Amino acid sequence: MSVEKDASPGTPPDASAPTPAPATSAAPAGRPSACSVAGLVGSYAWALAMIALGSLLGGVVAVLVGSLAYVALVPGADAGDFAGAMLDGAGGILGTTDSYSTSAVSALYTGVSYLGTIGVWIVVLVYLAASRRARPILKTVTRRVAGNTPARLGAGLLLGLALNGACALVAVATGSLDLSFVGLNVGGLVFVFLCVFVQSSSEELLCRCYLYQRTLRVSGSPVVSLVVTSLLFGALHLGNAGLTPLALANVTLVGVLFGLLTWRLDSPWAAFGAHTGWNFMQAVVLGLPNSGIVTPFALFGLAPGTSTVAGIAYDPAFGIEGLPLATVLIVAACACVYLWGKRCAVRPTDVWAGLEEGVPRDGEASPLPPAAA
């Protein structure tokens, strides 16, 4: 223990000297303990459970809302027809699954297909609000994170639209795609866009908000958080139709891009927007498979009598993210986001700062109550 040379017994401390602020960091100092790592593994397992529970809850809510709307749209219709279509395919209410449509029923079916993930939002927000340990993560979906601004939400949206649109333009130019205009339904387009936003942001809520912050809390490293959550993001797509090793790598790289928007721009909202823009452009504007999933409502679609051809920019089975051009563009976008954040000297918001007294850190037991005065 060191003692200041000028200090003497009985000398009061200098009241003008600044009092050091209590240290607040994203993670406990030093190497993560076995207990904290085990807790983090449990968080990932709990995230998968919340996906399952939220999907079940959201599916019930979405089908109920869709069935009521279907009855209102189609006089004399049976609500059970819509519920059956959600289970068995759109053919029962659209008459065919082989063509695109901009009808109100097609928009309703497509929107409800995405809206089921609203249950994930409900489950995660309820959990975060109820959990004293994880409650600070609620800040990541609010303006309390400095980078969560409408401008960065819009920038993320434009980034997703541009990346996917650029791949599509190259696919058309190289003969992989021949698209034709289907039609325009503004009301349906707005409804489907909002539903796509719910779906896309629900994945970001789990990966770039909850799990990113939990991993950062334990590891203290945004790089570790970015890598681990991106790997999980890729793994969540393992069951998608048409998945190839390159497609899986590209989906994981997209996760890296969304993670960089969260870290380097301090903006989960930008990640919400980029994910939404990517999915909306591919599935709804262009009518192409979105990670192997095709929906009937679209502004454009494959020209009648034509077929898709695999090329450098398009995979007929999985979509735009299945081939090398997407790899190049995603890597370039990652570099741009990283450099943008570095040039602007963006400092990520520490959501754990000012942690409430009495809330244990990861790997620590709950502190004892303060002694009575």
Side-chain angles (χ1 to χ4, degrees):
M1 183 175 68
S2 62
V3 179
E4 295 183 14
K5 294 181 179 179
D6 295 334
S8 59
T11 302
D14 184 359
S16 64
T19 302
T24 57
S25 60
R31 190 173 182 178
S33 66
C35 183
S36 65
V37 172
L40 180 60
V41 172
S43 293
Y44 276 77
W46 175 233
L48 297 178
M50 286 194 289
I51 291 174
L53 179 60
S55 298
L56 179 61
L57 172 63
V60 172
V61 172
V63 170
L64 178 60
V65 171
S67 298
L68 294 175
Y70 180 65
V71 171
L73 285 172
V74 183
D78 186 346
D81 294 339
F82 186 86
M86 295 305 302
L87 294 174
D88 302 327
I93 56 176
L94 298 180
T96 177
T97 57
D98 298 328
S99 61
Y100 303 99
S101 170
T102 56
S103 69
V105 173
S106 178
L108 179 63
Y109 176 87
T110 299
V112 170
S113 298
Y114 286 102
L115 189 60
T117 54
I118 195 171
V120 175
W121 266 99
I122 294 171
V123 170
V124 173
L125 292 182
V126 169
Y127 165 68
L128 292 180
S131 170
R132 295 183 68 206
R133 189 184 297 272
R135 192 176 302 148
I137 299 174
L138 276 175
K139 299 174 187 176
T140 62
V141 297
T142 71
R143 291 294 300 273
R144 295 180 70 181
V145 168
N148 279 348
T149 64
R152 287 190 179 166
L153 173 63
L157 179 63
L158 290 176
L159 177 63
L161 292 170
L163 286 174
N164 206 281
C167 289
L169 287 175
V170 173
V172 170
T174 56
S176 293
L177 291 174
D178 185 7
L179 299 175
S180 63
F181 182 65
V182 176
L184 179 62
N185 177 344
V186 175
L189 192 66
V190 171
F191 171 70
V192 174
F193 173 81
L194 294 175
C195 293
V196 172
F197 180 83
V198 170
Q199 179 270 328
S200 302
S201 61
S202 70
E203 294 183 21
E204 298 308 303
L205 175 66
L206 273 169
C207 292
R208 252 62 65 176
C209 293
Y210 173 58
L211 291 177
Y212 179 88
Q213 290 295 338
R214 283 288 293 114
T215 307
L216 183 61
R217 179 74 168 152
V218 172
S219 69
S221 168
V223 174
V224 170
S225 301
L226 185 149
V227 170
V228 175
T229 53
S230 298
L231 290 172
L232 175 70
F233 182 73
L236 291 176
H237 295 77
L238 286 173
N240 290 43
L243 185 70
T244 64
L246 180 57
L248 179 60
N250 282 346
V251 170
T252 304
L253 276 175
V254 169
V256 172
L257 174 60
F258 299 157
L260 284 170
L261 291 169
T262 298
W263 169 32
R264 299 303 300 175
L265 298 188
D266 189 31
S267 183
W269 283 15
F272 290 2
H275 198 155
T276 301
W278 181 280
N279 287 354
F280 185 73
M281 173 62 78
Q282 185 164 228
V284 181
V285 175
L286 301 175
L288 303 176
N290 180 206
S291 297
I293 300 172
V294 182
T295 50
F297 181 86
L299 300 187
F300 290 86
L302 293 177
T306 66
S307 59
T308 56
V309 180
I312 64 168
Y314 184 68
D315 178 355
F318 197 74
I320 282 171
E321 59 267 68
L323 285 169
L325 180 62
T327 310
V328 174
L329 291 181
I330 295 167
V331 170
C334 287
C336 289
V337 170
Y338 182 87
L339 293 174
W340 183 12
K342 186 174 182 180
R343 180 176 181 179
C344 296
V346 175
R347 184 176 181 179
T349 301
D350 182 4
V351 302
W352 305 100
L355 195 64
E356 299 93 333
E357 183 181 355
V359 178
R361 290 182 177 273
D362 298 296
E364 295 180 351
S366 298
L368 295 173

